[in-house]
Amino acid sequence: MKKYSLDFAKALDAKDDLAKYRKEFYLPENMTYLDGNSLGILSRRAESSLLQVLDSWKQFGIDGWTKGKYPWFYLSEKLGDVTAPLVGALSDEIIVTGSTTVNLHQLVATFYQPKGNKTKILADELNFPSDIYALQSQIKHKGYNPDTHLIRVKSKDGRTLQEDDIIAAMTEDISLVVLPAVLYRSGQILDIKRLTAAARERNIYIGFDLCHSIGAIPHSLHDWNVDFAFWCNYKYLNAGPGSVGGLFVHQHHFGKAPGLAGWFSSKKEVQFDMEHVLTPADNAGAYQIGTPHVLSIAPLIGSLELFSEVGILKIREKSIKLTNYMLDLIKDELLEYGFVIANPLEETKRGGHIYLEHQEAASICKALKANGVIPDFRAPNGIRLAPIAFYNSFKDVFHAISILKEIMIQKTYKEYENTREIIA
Ligand SMILES: *Cc1c(COP(=O)(O)O)cnc(C)c1O
């Protein structure tokens, strides 16, 4: 059977153990949604946990902090327990709190303690801007100049990073390294284990941004001895727009004073003693700041249930099959139209999405959307396509590629301006 055929895709769907989970999600009608790496789709379980938390507010008022099915006071810790298997951590190494950028600020404020000539932070030139802005401002807070003190490892091809280059840049003046686990454009997976071992040998702290890896690939943060990590829960974890994020701090560091303290950094038993001297929690809970955003945490309860049920290994297994199928179709059907495959080809080096480059990427994305296929444009010339293991089918992949091919053959993308929208 030809790979580029509906029957072939249907046969793959028929063999898919996770196919039954598609009905757990509210897939927008008449849409082939391939943007779950930017904003995951609402599941029935996430909806239900959100409604239950709302209901506990309705029923109990302030007593909702300790009453109801999900007492709010312990929610951040409880969900840390449920997140732990996704990142390979001990339960109390994780706390659900803040957002990616806020958690990065917290962790850098905690771990970046420049001393002597060890005063610089090492990052990379391909990282997401918010992470870079946070690092620059933290460097300024410590009285240094980000132009000289934020070192960005260069990419040789503009898409990926070489671990050797990163390790070579871990020089004596580096105090802290912050890197993505999966690059947001090319989807490259960095070798966290190797980079962490290299940092440790050099007496440098290292932390990872898991925004594009959590819920997509397995991790072993504890065993790899990663110092810290942080992420959002609204991409692969489907907890909704602006949902609360999470962070990991290795057990080795329990007791380290939070760089940015607040009353929720407190050991829970003494928080309401209202002392002016903080007794921080003796686990990752210490890196919380203020009152948790309970309503923005609530959908994560239901969403994580699905991950606990299936396990990250099965999710990764299907994700690889989906992206392999998509790559096969792209190689066979699309390369003649000027697309360049810009993600790593080896499946062990690739996260959950495919990244194509094309000079007309912005117009092509608009044409795809007009035809009900939802991609993600990344300026200046990138198209991200993320088939999500929980709710996308092989048929979705086939459909998206056939629409894309049609757009290229008919040149309908030329009807759209090659510029990005306000949100892209
Ligand atoms: C999505 C993403 C962010 C977003 O940060 P927020 O604080 O949640 O807005 C930051 N960094 C990376 C690498 C991301 O992929």
Side-chain angles (χ1 to χ4, degrees):
M1 204 189 299
K2 243 184 84 196
K3 279 194 171 180
Y4 184 62
S5 71
L6 187 56
D7 285 344
F8 191 90
K10 280 184 173 167
L12 292 175
D13 282 329
K15 282 189 295 186
D16 171 17
D17 292 341
L18 299 193
K20 59 174 186 273
Y21 283 94
R22 186 177 171 94
K23 64 176 188 314
E24 294 270 357
F25 289 83
Y26 290 104
L27 286 164
E29 252 179 81
N30 302 321
M31 251 190 217
T32 300
Y33 195 81
L34 295 178
D35 205 5
N37 61 335
S38 264
L39 181 67
I41 287 288
L42 175 65
S43 63
R44 292 172 201 284
R45 300 209 207 178
E47 176 186 50
S48 147
S49 59
L50 172 59
L51 292 176
Q52 270 179 323
V53 170
L54 256 185
D55 195 61
S56 64
W57 178 23
K58 201 193 268 177
Q59 274 195 49
F60 303 113
I62 187 133
D63 284 343
W65 285 103
T66 51
K67 284 191 173 156
K69 188 163 179 202
Y70 307 114
W72 313 330
F73 193 54
Y74 305 101
L75 213 41
S76 310
E77 287 78 10
K78 281 248 156 73
L79 290 174
D81 300 350
V82 193
T83 305
L86 294 180
V87 296
L90 308 179
S91 292
D92 56 359
E93 289 175 324
I94 310 259
I95 192 79
V96 168
T97 187
S99 63
T100 311
T101 313
V102 169
N103 291 344
L104 174 57
H105 271 292
Q106 168 68 295
L107 293 161
V108 176
T110 304
F111 282 86
Y112 175 45
Q113 301 296 341
K115 247 193 240 106
N117 74 336
K118 235 176 164 45
T119 53
K120 295 181 181 170
I121 297 182
L122 181 65
D124 70 274
E125 68 168 3
L126 299 178
N127 204 347
F128 196 83
S130 198
D131 298 41
I132 298 296
Y133 303 157
L135 295 175
Q136 287 166 332
S137 68
Q138 286 292 331
I139 288 170
K140 278 195 229 164
H141 271 294
K142 293 277 175 10
Y144 296 100
N145 179 353
D147 295 343
T148 52
H149 280 64
L150 179 62
I151 308 299
R152 272 169 283 179
V153 177
K154 294 231 174 316
S155 160
K156 291 199 170 84
D157 59 2
R159 296 170 185 142
T160 55
L161 300 167
Q162 303 287 318
E163 280 86 359
D164 287 340
D165 294 345
I166 299 172
I167 293 170
M170 292 181 186
T171 46
E172 287 208 331
D173 49 354
I174 301 295
S175 160
L176 175 70
V177 181
V178 177
L179 295 165
V182 167
L183 275 63
Y184 79 102
R185 279 172 204 273
S186 69
Q188 178 193 10
I189 299 178
L190 289 180
D191 187 340
I192 299 182
K193 184 178 178 185
R194 179 174 170 215
L195 293 167
T196 302
R200 188 144 291 248
E201 262 171 36
R202 292 161 181 75
N203 216 4
I204 300 172
Y205 287 141
I206 189 162
F208 288 89
D209 182 327
L210 310 188
C211 279
H212 282 276
S213 64
I214 191 164
I217 63 173
H219 312 70
S220 303
L221 297 183
H222 178 85
D223 288 348
W224 294 335
N225 273 318
V226 170
D227 292 301
F228 64 84
F230 53 98
W231 55 86
C232 61
N233 284 319
Y234 52 76
K235 291 173 179 164
Y236 289 93
L237 292 185
N238 312 314
S243 58
V244 173
L247 64 81
F248 160 92
V249 170
H250 199 284
Q251 194 182 34
H252 295 320
H253 299 299
F254 287 180
K256 212 180 207 354
L260 307 174
W263 72 316
F264 270 77
S265 316
S266 193
K267 218 180 171 87
K268 293 193 110 55
E269 303 77 50
V270 299
Q271 180 173 345
F272 279 81
D273 290 351
M274 299 306 204
E275 295 291 343
H276 276 194
V277 177
L278 169 69
T279 307
D282 48 16
N283 53 33
Y287 309 98
Q288 298 172 89
I289 303 174
T291 303
H293 301 177
V294 174
L295 297 181
S296 299
I297 291 180
L300 185 63
I301 304 169
S303 185
L304 283 177
E305 233 177 72
L306 291 167
F307 282 85
S308 302
E309 212 169 284
V310 173
I312 189 64
L313 295 178
K314 280 204 171 145
I315 290 167
R316 174 62 171 160
E317 197 185 313
K318 176 171 173 192
S319 164
I320 287 175
K321 286 182 187 159
L322 283 166
T323 50
N324 275 340
Y325 182 49
M326 187 177 262
L327 278 174
D328 284 347
L329 298 189
I330 291 168
K331 283 180 199 157
D332 291 350
E333 308 297 328
L334 289 179
L335 293 187
E336 64 189 281
Y337 302 103
F339 290 98
V340 174
I341 298 173
N343 52 264
L345 293 177
E346 316 93 284
E347 58 187 41
T348 55
K349 284 272 142 208
R350 187 173 78 230
H353 70 267
I354 294 301
Y355 190 59
L356 299 178
E357 289 175 353
H358 194 286
Q359 283 190 342
E360 307 285 334
S363 357
I364 293 169
C365 284
K366 288 178 192 169
L368 278 172
K369 274 195 154 176
N371 283 281
V373 176
I374 313 302
D376 200 41
F377 171 66
R378 280 292 167 262
N381 62 347
I383 303 172
R384 290 194 308 197
L385 299 170
I388 304 294
F390 261 132
Y391 50 80
N392 285 122
S393 58
F394 292 89
K395 205 176 126 205
D396 286 344
V397 171
F398 169 75
H399 179 70
I401 299 303
S402 59
I403 295 279
L404 185 48
K405 187 174 176 184
E406 199 56 26
I407 287 169
M408 302 316 291
I409 292 173
Q410 305 296 339
K411 298 192 165 56
T412 45
Y413 65 88
K414 288 186 189 281
E415 295 163 18
Y416 304 87
E417 255 187 280
N418 194 31
T419 53
R420 71 168 171 81
E421 309 276 3
I422 185 78
I423 293 197

